[in-house]
Amino acid sequence: MYARDHALIATPIGTIRLEGDDEVLTAIRIGDAGAPVKAAAAAVRAAAEQLEQWFAKQRETFDLPLTPAGTPRGEALRAGLIAVGYGEMLSYGALARTLGSSPRAIGQLCARNPFPIVVPCHRVLGSGGTLGAYSAGDGPKTKSWLLEHERRHVRGTLL
């Protein structure tokens, strides 16, 4: 086991704290306080680089080693959430039907997501397209910013 490390990166939605070691990323926290800090651990450095690229509109997907979910079902649900593409949005119910789950389980998956942005729970909306809750950063305000960031980028690539 490698020593835990962290980085703090400045973003348009506030400081983001990345935690992990050389092998895996263990957490992403939006809205942490502090000046930027670079990490020594490989997985944390990779996460910082990829998130900076995402905010700069130079990346749409992530290739990061994440701490595994607690169960095979949890891993399958996480993979299904990751499969919701950049700039796409689904309701909790639609994602639940796709994954053979329930909207409540999808809500819990999103609420307990330790990797916001990388595991894009911001792309899951309430019924009728309502914004719904968001457990990271400033809640719905952060979710709205993330969705608009992706919409602007997708529109920019289509023109």
Side-chain angles (χ1 to χ4, degrees):
M1 181 67 138
Y2 292 91
R4 298 275 176 181
D5 195 7
H6 77 277
L8 294 172
I9 60 171
T11 75
I13 58 171
T15 302
I16 294 180
R17 180 183 179 96
L18 307 164
E19 299 174 356
D21 56 32
D22 276 331
E23 299 296 320
V24 295
L25 191 63
T26 58
I28 297 172
R29 300 188 204 305
I30 300 173
D32 237 34
V37 173
K38 296 214 182 270
V44 180
R45 281 193 329 266
E49 180 179 302
Q50 290 187 28
L51 277 165
E52 287 168 347
Q53 292 167 346
W54 187 87
F55 279 103
K57 300 180 183 178
Q58 298 167 345
R59 170 179 290 276
E60 295 182 358
T61 61
F62 297 93
D63 181 21
L64 296 168
L66 306 176
T67 301
T71 66
R73 180 68 177 150
E75 201 63 44
L77 291 175
R78 180 192 288 173
L81 184 51
I82 290 171
V84 177
Y86 188 92
E88 294 178 21
M89 292 172 277
L90 285 177
S91 70
Y92 292 97
L95 185 57
R97 285 187 296 280
T98 299
L99 300 177
S101 189
S102 72
R104 182 169 297 214
I106 299 303
Q108 288 299 310
L109 172 73
C110 292
R112 296 178 180 159
N113 177 13
F115 307 107
I117 302 173
V118 172
V119 177
C121 53
H122 62 278
R123 297 178 188 154
V124 182
L125 303 176
S127 61
T130 61
L131 196 58
Y134 192 65
S135 59
D138 287 333
K141 179 180 173 185
T142 299
K143 182 175 186 171
S144 179
W145 190 97
L146 295 170
L147 290 170
E148 187 56 31
H149 172 76
E150 291 185 2
R151 276 192 286 255
R152 283 190 310 266
H153 184 201
V154 169
R155 276 191 216 129
T157 59
L158 296 176
L159 297 177

